[in-house]
Amino acid sequence: MRSLDPDPWSTCLVGSAHAADKLTLRRYSEMHQNRDRPGIANLIRKRFEERYLEPILDNPKRNGFAMLAICCLMVETLESFRHGWKDTSERGKSEAAFCGFFQAHEEFRDLRPVAHEFYRAVRCGILHQAETTHKWRVDREPGLLSEQAGVRWLSAFEFGKALRVVLNRYCDNLSNSDWSSPLWVNARKKLQAICRNCGLPKSDVSKLA
């Protein structure tokens, strides 16, 4: 039977409850207190890798639609880190996240002209209806985006690989940036929201600004 620990500080931000290298909310608090920039950047990197990228890029049984569903989750979360958003539930913010993300990263330049269409046909199509719409198709071929006879072909594998590049660059920039920089201010805001979602009291969450 599962053993439940009611202490929110024991929540695993990275790894499983039984893993020797797990990183808990308590450990994050210690790194925050010490302004351990490389340590926190590594926490963010590992959290994205184990939750998003490893299951879709390092899994021989991967499926393009499942890959893109997870990729879309990651885009919104990464953009939330970049802007310091607690979530993207506000009307229009989710679509703005995709447009801003494609604009910010050269790896996704081919999607900039069709960002709004991508959001409706791919992000919303897959997450809400389990299929792409408006003549968008999914494959795993080389090249992120191609078009033929009015049909847009999107490579799920290329999308995932590009996300890994963006993640690594973001975490490297965190490691090398000043603690008081906008990059870190926004990252800590998102991490605060994550800690709040773990059940920490407001008084403790406020110390993690």
Side-chain angles (χ1 to χ4, degrees):
M1 184 175 180
R2 181 182 299 161
S3 178
L4 297 179
D5 188 342
D7 180 13
W9 289 106
S10 66
T11 303
C12 289
L13 299 179
V14 173
S16 66
H18 304 292
D21 60 347
K22 66 182 179 183
L23 293 173
T24 63
L25 202 158
R26 180 175 287 106
R27 178 65 186 125
Y28 167 65
S29 178
E30 293 169 355
M31 289 191 286
H32 181 281
Q33 185 176 1
N34 295 325
R35 299 189 175 187
D36 182 359
R37 295 171 295 130
I40 298 174
N42 188 52
L43 181 155
I44 294 171
R45 192 194 313 266
K46 285 187 174 181
R47 185 176 171 91
F48 275 106
E49 279 284 348
E50 71 178 16
R51 291 189 174 201
Y52 299 95
L53 294 175
E54 290 174 2
I56 64 172
L57 294 180
D58 305 332
N59 181 358
K61 295 183 178 181
R62 55 182 175 259
N63 175 276
F65 284 87
M67 291 173 72
L68 278 174
I70 291 175
C71 285
C72 287
L73 294 175
M74 183 168 167
V75 165
E76 291 197 42
T77 309
L78 265 175
E79 197 68 355
S80 294
F81 268 91
R82 192 166 74 93
H83 289 285
W85 297 338
K86 66 177 182 179
D87 57 43
T88 55
S89 60
E90 183 180 333
R91 185 176 180 85
K93 184 176 280 188
S94 178
E95 185 169 1
F98 281 87
C99 295
F101 185 85
F102 295 155
Q103 194 64 40
H105 304 293
E106 191 65 16
E107 291 79 7
F108 294 93
R109 61 186 178 276
D110 291 346
L111 291 173
R112 291 171 184 169
V114 293
H116 294 285
E117 296 173 53
F118 174 96
Y119 179 78
R120 292 189 294 270
V122 179
R123 186 271 187 191
C124 293
I126 290 179
L127 294 184
H128 297 308
Q129 301 298 326
E131 62 177 351
T132 53
T133 60
H134 299 92
K135 295 185 177 180
W136 282 72
R137 301 290 185 268
V138 178
D139 62 23
R140 287 183 281 167
E141 298 301 315
L144 179 61
L145 181 69
S146 61
E147 186 171 350
Q148 185 177 12
V151 175
R152 290 196 174 97
W153 291 91
L154 182 67
S155 174
F157 191 59
E158 293 294 333
F159 199 106
K161 288 197 301 180
L163 273 181
R164 179 170 269 166
V165 172
V166 170
L167 170 66
N168 287 330
R169 184 169 59 236
Y170 173 71
C171 292
D172 289 344
N173 287 341
L174 280 174
S175 294
N176 297 318
S177 296
D178 187 82
W179 182 257
S180 60
S181 67
L183 191 70
W184 267 110
V185 170
N186 288 339
R188 295 199 303 274
K189 284 181 180 178
K190 179 56 179 175
L191 286 165
Q192 259 191 310
I194 291 172
C195 293
R196 187 181 299 111
N197 290 336
C198 293
L200 276 189
K202 290 182 179 180
S203 57
D204 289 327
V205 172
S206 64
K207 298 175 184 177
L208 299 173

